[in-house]
Amino acid sequence: MLPVRGGDGRKLTAWGIRTTWSTVGDGEFFCPDCGGDRNYRRRTGRRRFTVLGVPLLPRGQAGPVVECQGCRARFGTDALDHLTTTRFTALLRDAVHTVALAVLTAGGTASRSALEAAVCAVRAAGFQDCTEGQLESLVEALSTDEGRLGLYDIPECCGAALSIELHEALEPLAPHLAGPGRESILLQGARIALADGPYIPAEREVLATVGSALRIGADEVARLLSAVRAP
């Protein structure tokens, strides 16, 4: 824009392009500039050629952009792909809970040591009120579903319902975890499986599914499982 001065000495803009923004949505996102969860406005703009502040000719659209309500910074809409801290915490908690249930379903709940290991993992993930009785009830429900589908006799499959549960819980989280974070979830499941002795085939199948859903290669899964020692 070309600045000029008015009669009172103030700077005026002789001509230029001005963008008028409109809000088309809102929500919560992780603001890269603030470094935390903030409210945002999703905005689109209309560009106009102006003379002395008067809009004359349209010059196309701007945006859409995401505007932080805290710092007012604007970002591309891909900023919404980053999980909020609240959402990330919830996904991580649910992932550990689902893995623990899957391992217990594969290995059974007769072992108190395996149940105790599962409860410790689930509580550490955020379900502070988790009990052995709750896990046993959930495992029984999962086992009933698998039995109804007649899938427990198929050695190469950890069960359709079980596999679906694992993929639904782990796949949305995997892209947002670094390698050590994905490995940590797998290893928590491995420690539950080993709490009552060596892996059984069904437990290995479940843990292989966990690794696949977390985008860990089959060879790396095998290496990690072999490196874990029973307590």
Side-chain angles (χ1 to χ4, degrees), residues 33-124:
D33 282 7
C34 295
D37 295 349
R38 297 290 186 272
N39 291 325
Y40 73 85
R41 293 188 296 180
R42 186 184 179 100
R43 315 195 78 188
T44 59
R46 298 175 62 191
R47 294 191 180 97
R48 289 183 179 275
F49 177 78
T50 65
V51 176
L52 296 177
V54 179
L56 298 177
L57 299 173
R59 282 294 182 266
Q61 303 294 316
V65 299
V66 174
E67 181 181 273
C68 177
Q69 292 282 68
C71 66
R72 301 299 178 183
R74 290 177 181 151
F75 309 93
T77 55
D78 56 353
L80 300 180
D81 295 337
H82 193 297
L83 293 179
T84 64
T85 303
T86 302
R87 177 62 175 156
F88 178 80
T89 300
L91 283 176
L92 186 59
R93 179 191 62 205
D94 292 345
V96 173
H97 186 263
T98 304
V99 169
L101 285 177
V103 173
L104 288 176
T105 301
T109 58
S111 167
R112 306 316 300 179
S113 56
L115 266 175
E116 289 171 359
V119 168
C120 287
V122 171
R123 285 179 177 173

XYZ file of all heavy atoms in Angstrom, residues 33-124:
683
model
N 2.146 -21.566 18.694
C 2.798 -20.405 19.299
C 2.607 -20.370 20.814
O 3.540 -20.058 21.555
C 2.270 -19.113 18.681
C 2.881 -18.838 17.307
O 3.608 -19.714 16.801
O 2.622 -17.761 16.749
N 1.402 -20.685 21.278
C 1.147 -20.691 22.722
C 1.749 -21.930 23.391
O 2.077 -21.899 24.576
C -0.351 -20.641 23.002
S -1.174 -19.121 22.484
N 1.847 -23.021 22.629
C 2.376 -24.257 23.197
C 1.389 -24.978 24.084
O 1.775 -25.703 25.013
N 0.096 -24.821 23.832
C -0.921 -25.484 24.639
C -2.272 -25.449 23.957
O -2.423 -24.905 22.858
N -3.266 -26.036 24.604
C -4.616 -26.066 24.051
C -5.259 -24.678 24.152
O -5.226 -24.047 25.207
C -5.476 -27.076 24.810
C -4.987 -28.504 24.645
O -4.118 -28.733 23.787
O -5.467 -29.384 25.384
N -5.848 -24.237 23.054
C -6.506 -22.940 23.022
C -7.771 -23.035 22.157
O -7.902 -23.932 21.321
C -5.587 -21.869 22.414
C -4.318 -21.595 23.198
C -4.592 -20.887 24.510
N -3.364 -20.500 25.183
C -2.696 -21.287 26.025
N -3.153 -22.506 26.288
N -1.588 -20.851 26.602
N -8.670 -22.095 22.355
C -9.819 -21.975 21.459
C -9.368 -21.323 20.151
O -8.446 -20.506 20.144
C -10.918 -21.132 22.105
C -11.567 -21.831 23.285
O -11.721 -23.054 23.285
N -11.934 -21.069 24.293
N -10.016 -21.692 19.063
C -9.672 -21.094 17.775
C -10.939 -20.694 17.036
O -12.047 -21.152 17.337
C -8.874 -22.073 16.913
C -9.691 -23.216 16.341
C -10.408 -23.072 15.143
C -9.750 -24.450 16.984
C -11.170 -24.109 14.620
C -10.510 -25.494 16.474
C -11.209 -25.311 15.294
O -11.972 -26.344 14.791
N -10.753 -19.801 16.055
C -11.797 -19.469 15.090
C -11.298 -19.852 13.705
O -10.168 -19.526 13.340
C -12.130 -17.979 15.133
C -12.794 -17.532 16.416
C -13.276 -16.089 16.339
N -12.159 -15.152 16.181
C -12.299 -13.840 16.079
N -13.509 -13.304 16.090
N -11.240 -13.056 15.948
N -12.117 -20.548 12.974
C -11.809 -20.862 11.574
C -12.389 -19.727 10.737
O -13.592 -19.439 10.823
C -12.428 -22.211 11.186
C -12.045 -22.704 9.790
C -12.795 -23.986 9.485
N -12.492 -24.481 8.163
C -11.643 -25.462 7.898
N -11.010 -26.057 8.896
N -11.427 -25.870 6.672
N -11.522 -19.094 9.926
C -11.944 -17.881 9.242
C -11.619 -17.941 7.742
O -10.641 -18.572 7.333
C -11.278 -16.656 9.865
C -11.299 -16.634 11.382
C -10.968 -15.275 11.939
N -12.128 -14.373 11.836
C -12.075 -13.086 12.108
N -10.936 -12.520 12.459
N -13.152 -12.325 12.018
N -12.459 -17.307 6.981
C -12.193 -17.111 5.556
C -12.216 -15.608 5.286
O -12.842 -14.844 6.022
C -13.243 -17.801 4.668
O -14.540 -17.280 4.984
C -13.224 -19.306 4.894
N -11.523 -15.191 4.240
C -11.427 -13.765 3.962
C -11.778 -13.418 2.533
O -11.710 -14.260 1.630
N -12.136 -12.151 2.337
C -12.397 -11.605 0.998
C -11.444 -10.443 0.789
O -11.423 -9.485 1.575
C -13.846 -11.143 0.874
C -14.868 -12.258 1.045
C -16.285 -11.709 1.042
N -16.595 -11.064 -0.240
C -17.680 -10.325 -0.441
N -18.543 -10.113 0.547
N -17.890 -9.777 -1.628
N -10.642 -10.538 -0.264
C -9.697 -9.466 -0.578
C -10.360 -8.439 -1.501
O -11.059 -8.795 -2.448
C -8.454 -10.035 -1.262
C -7.603 -10.936 -0.397
C -6.273 -11.209 -1.077
N -5.410 -12.076 -0.295
C -5.295 -13.385 -0.473
N -6.005 -13.961 -1.429
N -4.482 -14.083 0.272
N -10.095 -7.165 -1.185
C -10.628 -6.088 -2.036
C -9.541 -5.028 -2.249
O -8.744 -4.740 -1.353
C -11.855 -5.447 -1.403
C -13.087 -6.329 -1.406
C -14.273 -5.594 -0.821
N -15.483 -6.403 -0.827
C -16.308 -6.522 -1.855
N -16.062 -5.869 -2.985
N -17.379 -7.282 -1.772
N -9.568 -4.479 -3.444
C -8.699 -3.332 -3.747
C -9.361 -2.090 -3.156
O -10.540 -1.831 -3.376
C -8.526 -3.197 -5.257
C -7.705 -2.005 -5.657
C -6.326 -2.035 -5.561
C -8.326 -0.844 -6.128
C -5.579 -0.926 -5.933
C -7.589 0.255 -6.498
C -6.194 0.219 -6.395
N -8.611 -1.334 -2.337
C -9.162 -0.151 -1.685
C -8.400 1.109 -2.088
O -7.205 1.063 -2.382
C -9.106 -0.287 -0.145
O -7.735 -0.320 0.275
C -9.807 -1.548 0.326
N -9.098 2.215 -2.086
C -8.493 3.538 -2.291
C -8.943 4.418 -1.130
O -10.152 4.590 -0.907
C -8.919 4.158 -3.636
C -8.359 5.572 -3.762
C -8.432 3.292 -4.795
N -7.959 4.935 -0.374
C -8.246 5.749 0.814
C -9.207 5.036 1.762
O -10.121 5.628 2.339
C -8.809 7.118 0.410
C -7.861 8.020 -0.392
C -8.560 9.307 -0.784
C -6.600 8.320 0.401
N -8.996 3.705 1.881
C -9.791 2.918 2.813
C -11.134 2.482 2.301
O -11.870 1.772 2.993
N -11.503 2.891 1.095
C -12.806 2.532 0.537
C -12.650 1.312 -0.362
O -11.899 1.357 -1.356
C -13.397 3.697 -0.274
C -14.745 3.287 -0.871
C -13.551 4.921 0.605
N -13.311 0.189 -0.049
C -13.198 -1.009 -0.894
C -13.889 -0.799 -2.237
O -15.025 -0.327 -2.289
C -13.902 -2.095 -0.069
C -14.836 -1.355 0.831
C -14.184 -0.035 1.112
N -13.168 -1.124 -3.322
C -13.714 -0.902 -4.657
C -13.866 -2.194 -5.449
O -14.965 -2.548 -5.877
C -12.822 0.088 -5.421
C -12.707 1.492 -4.835
C -11.747 2.325 -5.658
C -14.085 2.157 -4.777
N -12.785 -2.904 -5.664
C -12.824 -4.071 -6.550
C -12.456 -5.339 -5.783
O -11.510 -5.344 -4.998
C -11.838 -3.884 -7.707
C -12.083 -2.687 -8.622
C -10.934 -2.549 -9.609
C -13.409 -2.845 -9.356
N -13.200 -6.447 -6.011
C -12.858 -7.714 -5.359
C -11.550 -8.272 -5.931
O -11.267 -8.137 -7.116
C -14.043 -8.618 -5.702
C -14.639 -8.029 -6.940
C -14.406 -6.547 -6.858
N -10.771 -8.890 -5.057
C -9.499 -9.485 -5.466
C -9.355 -10.922 -4.975
O -8.279 -11.376 -4.627
C -8.331 -8.626 -4.950
C -8.079 -7.359 -5.760
C -7.608 -7.714 -7.153
N -7.303 -6.553 -7.963
C -8.153 -5.982 -8.784
N -9.396 -6.453 -8.867
N -7.819 -4.935 -9.508
N -10.471 -11.638 -4.912
C -10.423 -13.056 -4.593
C -10.578 -13.363 -3.111
O -10.815 -12.480 -2.283
N -10.415 -14.654 -2.819
C -10.626 -15.155 -1.465
C -9.296 -15.360 -0.741
O -8.248 -15.539 -1.361
C -11.376 -16.486 -1.515
C -12.716 -16.435 -2.236
C -13.727 -15.570 -1.509
O -13.869 -15.636 -0.307
N -14.445 -14.737 -2.276
N -9.362 -15.339 0.579
C -8.204 -15.643 1.425
C -8.592 -16.742 2.404
O -9.743 -16.853 2.809
C -7.758 -14.399 2.193
N -7.586 -17.541 2.776
C -7.862 -18.596 3.747
C -8.393 -19.856 3.078
O -8.230 -20.031 1.873
N -9.010 -20.743 3.858
C -9.333 -20.551 5.272
C -8.093 -20.622 6.168
O -7.095 -21.237 5.805
C -10.287 -21.711 5.567
C -9.860 -22.779 4.610
C -9.444 -22.059 3.359
N -8.188 -19.976 7.321
C -7.121 -19.989 8.301
C -7.702 -20.342 9.661
O -8.920 -20.277 9.878
C -6.387 -18.636 8.392
C -5.749 -18.272 7.055
C -7.344 -17.531 8.856
N -6.805 -20.724 10.573
C -7.175 -20.986 11.958
C -6.553 -19.883 12.805
O -5.335 -19.707 12.788
C -6.660 -22.375 12.418
C -6.914 -22.575 13.902
C -7.321 -23.479 11.601
N -7.386 -19.139 13.508
C -6.892 -18.021 14.317
C -7.008 -18.362 15.799
O -8.098 -18.672 16.300
C -7.695 -16.760 14.016
C -7.230 -15.534 14.796
C -8.069 -14.305 14.492
O -7.736 -13.608 13.512
O -9.063 -14.076 15.209
N -5.880 -18.330 16.501
C -5.863 -18.608 17.939
C -6.567 -17.487 18.687
O -6.283 -16.304 18.462
C -4.431 -18.765 18.428
S -4.294 -19.021 20.225
N -7.447 -17.834 19.589
C -8.152 -16.841 20.382
C -7.274 -16.265 21.491
O -7.600 -15.241 22.079
C -9.407 -17.457 21.015
C -10.498 -17.815 20.019
C -11.275 -16.604 19.565
O -10.760 -15.733 18.881
N -12.543 -16.538 19.970
N -6.154 -16.971 21.764
C -5.259 -16.484 22.789
C -4.253 -15.478 22.267
O -4.242 -14.315 22.665
N -3.412 -15.915 21.329
C -2.336 -15.042 20.828
C -2.697 -14.337 19.523
O -1.926 -13.509 19.038
C -1.054 -15.854 20.644
S -1.161 -17.116 19.338
N -3.843 -14.698 18.917
C -4.329 -14.112 17.666
C -3.487 -14.483 16.445
O -3.687 -13.936 15.362
C -4.394 -12.576 17.762
C -5.291 -12.070 18.877
C -6.716 -12.522 18.667
N -7.574 -12.066 19.766
C -8.867 -12.370 19.881
N -9.433 -13.151 18.967
N -9.564 -11.936 20.900
N -2.547 -15.378 16.602
C -1.763 -15.827 15.448
C -2.659 -16.644 14.520
O -3.630 -17.277 14.958
C -0.570 -16.662 15.905
N -2.316 -16.644 13.227
C -3.093 -17.385 12.235
C -2.239 -18.485 11.636
O -1.052 -18.291 11.373
C -3.599 -16.450 11.138
C -4.690 -15.496 11.620
C -5.121 -14.534 10.541
N -6.147 -13.629 11.038
C -6.325 -12.411 10.599
N -5.540 -11.931 9.640
N -7.274 -11.653 11.108
N -2.869 -19.634 11.397
C -2.172 -20.810 10.870
C -3.006 -21.428 9.759
O -4.214 -21.193 9.658
C -1.961 -21.851 11.981
C -1.335 -21.310 13.235
C -2.129 -20.867 14.282
C 0.040 -21.211 13.351
C -1.563 -20.356 15.441
C 0.620 -20.702 14.498
C -0.184 -20.274 15.543
N -2.353 -22.255 8.957
C -3.089 -23.043 7.985
C -3.967 -24.056 8.694
O -3.747 -24.392 9.863
N -4.963 -24.578 7.994
C -5.900 -25.512 8.626
C -5.238 -26.828 9.014
O -5.806 -27.596 9.790
C -7.087 -25.795 7.694
O -6.600 -26.253 6.424
C -7.925 -24.543 7.487
N -4.015 -27.100 8.513
C -3.332 -28.325 8.930
C -2.927 -28.272 10.408
O -2.578 -29.294 10.993
C -2.102 -28.595 8.057
C -1.116 -27.440 8.041
O -1.424 -26.369 8.595
O -0.027 -27.608 7.454
N -3.010 -27.079 11.022
C -2.742 -26.987 12.463
C -3.750 -27.800 13.260
O -3.458 -28.235 14.376
C -2.778 -25.529 12.911
N -4.925 -28.045 12.681
C -5.956 -28.822 13.377
C -5.639 -30.305 13.389
O -6.285 -31.081 14.101
C -7.322 -28.586 12.730
C -7.828 -27.137 12.733
C -9.186 -27.058 12.060
C -7.896 -26.593 14.144
N -4.639 -30.740 12.596
C -4.252 -32.147 12.580
C -3.501 -32.533 13.853
O -3.418 -33.717 14.199
C -3.369 -32.448 11.364
C -4.111 -32.278 10.057
O -5.355 -32.361 10.074
O -3.455 -32.051 9.024
N -2.931 -31.555 14.536
C -2.191 -31.811 15.771
C -3.194 -32.033 16.903
O -4.073 -31.222 17.138
C -1.290 -30.613 16.087
C -0.264 -30.889 17.141
N -0.583 -31.215 18.431
C 1.089 -30.878 17.082
C 0.514 -31.397 19.134
N 1.546 -31.200 18.329
N -3.047 -33.146 17.616
C -3.965 -33.445 18.708
C -3.840 -32.412 19.828
O -2.744 -31.962 20.148
C -3.668 -34.833 19.293
C -3.925 -36.046 18.406
C -3.542 -37.308 19.158
C -5.381 -36.116 17.983
N -4.975 -32.064 20.422
C -4.906 -31.274 21.644
C -4.309 -32.131 22.749
O -4.325 -33.372 22.680
C -6.297 -30.792 22.079
O -7.105 -31.937 22.407
C -6.975 -29.986 20.988
N -3.790 -31.489 23.773
C -3.222 -32.230 24.899
C -4.282 -33.121 25.544
O -4.006 -34.274 25.907
C -2.664 -31.250 25.947
O -1.703 -30.407 25.321
C -2.009 -31.987 27.100
N -5.493 -32.602 25.652
C -6.587 -33.371 26.259
C -6.904 -34.607 25.437
O -7.054 -35.712 25.982
C -7.850 -32.489 26.382
O -7.542 -31.339 27.165
C -8.993 -33.258 27.021
N -6.979 -34.440 24.119
C -7.301 -35.571 23.239
C -6.172 -36.594 23.233
O -6.417 -37.796 23.272
C -7.548 -35.039 21.824
C -7.823 -36.114 20.774
C -9.067 -36.891 21.085
N -9.367 -37.827 20.012
C -10.087 -38.940 20.185
N -10.588 -39.240 21.374
N -10.323 -39.742 19.170
N -4.935 -36.116 23.194
C -3.788 -37.022 23.191
C -3.768 -37.861 24.466
O -3.550 -39.076 24.427
C -2.488 -36.221 23.074
C -1.246 -37.067 23.110
C -0.814 -37.738 21.981
C -0.515 -37.201 24.284
C 0.327 -38.533 22.009
C 0.625 -37.982 24.328
C 1.051 -38.652 23.178
N -4.001 -37.225 25.608
C -4.003 -37.942 26.887
C -5.083 -39.010 26.916
O -4.861 -40.133 27.383
C -4.211 -36.949 28.050
O -3.156 -35.990 28.040
C -4.219 -37.664 29.391
N -6.264 -38.671 26.389
C -7.365 -39.627 26.374
C -7.064 -40.813 25.457
O -7.335 -41.973 25.809
C -8.649 -38.932 25.926
N -6.485 -40.546 24.288
C -6.142 -41.630 23.367
C -5.089 -42.553 23.966
O -5.167 -43.783 23.826
C -5.631 -41.057 22.040
C -6.674 -40.500 21.076
C -5.992 -39.888 19.860
C -7.643 -41.593 20.638
N -4.094 -41.970 24.624
C -3.034 -42.777 25.230
C -3.590 -43.646 26.348
O -3.255 -44.836 26.456
C -1.938 -41.852 25.762
C -0.669 -42.520 26.298
C -0.010 -43.364 25.217
C 0.298 -41.462 26.809
N -4.441 -43.072 27.162
C -5.057 -43.827 28.257
C -5.891 -44.996 27.718
O -5.790 -46.135 28.190
C -5.947 -42.874 29.060
C -6.682 -43.507 30.237
C -7.716 -42.536 30.769
N -8.713 -42.233 29.739
C -9.439 -41.124 29.703
N -9.257 -40.182 30.614
N -10.325 -40.941 28.744
N -6.702 -44.717 26.678
C -7.553 -45.762 26.106
C -6.725 -46.839 25.416
O -7.101 -48.021 25.422
C -8.535 -45.156 25.106
C -9.570 -44.270 25.785
O -9.703 -44.345 27.023
O -10.236 -43.483 25.071
N -5.596 -46.437 24.832
C -4.738 -47.406 24.149
C -4.174 -48.422 25.140
O -4.212 -49.638 24.898
C -3.603 -46.683 23.430
N -3.650 -47.947 26.253
C -3.082 -48.848 27.259
C -4.168 -49.755 27.821
O -3.961 -50.958 28.011
C -2.410 -48.038 28.386
C -1.968 -48.958 29.526
C -1.212 -47.268 27.846
N -5.337 -49.206 28.061
C -6.454 -49.989 28.595
C -6.846 -51.105 27.629
O -7.048 -52.261 28.028
C -7.638 -49.052 28.842
C -8.801 -49.694 29.525
N -9.886 -50.176 28.847
C -9.048 -49.933 30.845
C -10.772 -50.688 29.703
N -10.277 -50.548 30.918
N -6.932 -50.771 26.336
C -7.328 -51.763 25.331
C -6.283 -52.857 25.172
O -6.619 -54.042 25.039
C -7.582 -51.072 23.975
O -8.564 -50.053 24.146
C -8.064 -52.072 22.937
N -4.999 -52.470 25.166
C -3.923 -53.463 25.056
C -3.950 -54.408 26.251
O -3.809 -55.638 26.106
C -2.550 -52.770 24.938
C -1.414 -53.779 25.095
C -2.436 -52.052 23.604
N -4.134 -53.858 27.447
C -4.187 -54.702 28.644
C -5.330 -55.703 28.555
O -5.161 -56.896 28.854
C -4.345 -53.826 29.886
N -6.509 -55.245 28.118
C -7.650 -56.145 27.977
C -7.388 -57.225 26.937
O -7.752 -58.395 27.129
C -8.896 -55.346 27.587
C -9.573 -54.522 28.683
C -10.740 -53.742 28.098
C -10.058 -55.421 29.804
N -6.774 -56.831 25.826
C -6.515 -57.790 24.752
C -5.558 -58.880 25.209
O -5.759 -60.069 24.923
C -5.948 -57.065 23.531
N -4.503 -58.497 25.917
C -3.534 -59.488 26.399
C -4.183 -60.421 27.417
O -3.972 -61.636 27.391
C -2.302 -58.780 27.002
C -1.366 -59.805 27.652
C -1.546 -58.009 25.927
N -4.980 -59.855 28.309
C -5.666 -60.695 29.298
C -6.670 -61.628 28.626
O -6.832 -62.777 29.044
C -6.384 -59.819 30.319
C -5.511 -59.059 31.330
C -6.372 -58.166 32.207
C -4.712 -60.035 32.204
N -7.347 -61.141 27.592
C -8.297 -61.989 26.874
C -7.591 -63.163 26.216
O -8.091 -64.289 26.210
C -9.045 -61.165 25.801
O -9.729 -60.079 26.437
C -10.062 -62.015 25.066
N -6.406 -62.891 25.677
C -5.641 -63.961 25.023
C -5.084 -64.957 26.033
O -5.055 -66.167 25.780
C -4.494 -63.351 24.224
N -4.629 -64.462 27.189
C -3.978 -65.335 28.167
C -4.856 -65.819 29.287
O -4.455 -66.697 30.061
N -6.050 -65.245 29.413
C -6.937 -65.632 30.500
C -6.661 -64.802 31.744
O -5.622 -64.167 31.881
N -7.626 -64.851 32.671
C -7.517 -64.043 33.891
C -7.318 -64.894 35.137
O -7.488 -64.423 36.254
C -8.783 -63.182 34.072
O -9.936 -64.038 34.121
C -8.937 -62.182 32.940
N -6.956 -66.164 34.951
C -6.761 -67.038 36.111
C -5.555 -66.618 36.936
O -5.504 -66.844 38.146
C -6.606 -68.487 35.651
N -4.570 -66.016 36.301
C -3.352 -65.612 37.002
C -3.542 -64.262 37.674
O -3.864 -63.268 37.026
C -2.183 -65.528 36.013
O -1.088 -64.860 36.601
N -3.343 -64.231 39.006
C -3.448 -62.969 39.723
C -2.317 -62.025 39.343
O -2.495 -60.800 39.293
C -3.402 -63.210 41.243
C -4.410 -64.206 41.778
C -5.794 -64.044 41.208
N -6.402 -62.739 41.474
C -7.596 -62.378 41.056
N -8.318 -63.202 40.309
N -8.071 -61.192 41.351
N -1.139 -62.594 39.052
C -0.001 -61.730 38.720
C -0.243 -60.975 37.424
O 0.111 -59.790 37.299
C 1.287 -62.552 38.629
O 1.156 -63.600 37.685
N -0.851 -61.633 36.443
C -1.156 -60.951 35.177
C -2.204 -59.866 35.392
O -2.100 -58.761 34.846
C -1.645 -61.957 34.140
N -3.216 -60.162 36.197
C -4.241 -59.171 36.495
C -3.648 -57.973 37.226
O -3.964 -56.819 36.923
C -5.345 -59.801 37.347
C -6.567 -60.366 36.606
C -7.494 -61.070 37.587
C -7.316 -59.273 35.869
N -2.772 -58.237 38.182
C -2.147 -57.149 38.933
C -1.294 -56.270 38.015
O -1.310 -55.039 38.126
C -1.293 -57.720 40.071
C -2.112 -58.331 41.202
C -1.243 -59.075 42.200
O -0.001 -59.116 41.992
O -1.788 -59.631 43.172
N -0.553 -56.906 37.099
C 0.273 -56.147 36.164
C -0.598 -55.288 35.255
O -0.263 -54.129 34.947
C 1.133 -57.095 35.336
N -1.730 -55.836 34.834
C -2.644 -55.092 33.967
C -3.253 -53.904 34.708
O -3.337 -52.789 34.164
C -3.742 -56.012 33.445
N -3.677 -54.113 35.940
C -4.261 -53.034 36.735
C -3.245 -51.915 36.947
O -3.569 -50.724 36.820
C -4.771 -53.567 38.093
C -5.105 -52.410 39.035
C -6.010 -54.425 37.892
N -2.008 -52.274 37.251
C -0.957 -51.263 37.450
C -0.749 -50.427 36.190
O -0.624 -49.190 36.257
C 0.353 -51.937 37.860
S 0.362 -52.559 39.543
N -0.725 -51.087 35.028
C -0.517 -50.372 33.768
C -1.679 -49.432 33.468
O -1.486 -48.284 33.053
C -0.331 -51.373 32.629
N -2.903 -49.925 33.677
C -4.087 -49.131 33.364
C -4.205 -47.939 34.316
O -4.551 -46.829 33.899
C -5.347 -50.018 33.424
C -6.609 -49.172 33.317
C -5.322 -51.056 32.299
N -3.916 -48.155 35.582
C -3.964 -47.042 36.543
C -2.909 -45.986 36.210
O -3.183 -44.784 36.281
C -3.747 -47.569 37.960
C -4.960 -48.299 38.545
C -4.663 -48.808 39.930
N -5.839 -49.440 40.534
C -5.817 -50.092 41.693
N -4.678 -50.207 42.382
N -6.909 -50.633 42.173
N -1.711 -46.441 35.856
C -0.648 -45.493 35.516
C -1.007 -44.674 34.286
O -0.567 -43.534 34.136
C 0.661 -46.244 35.278
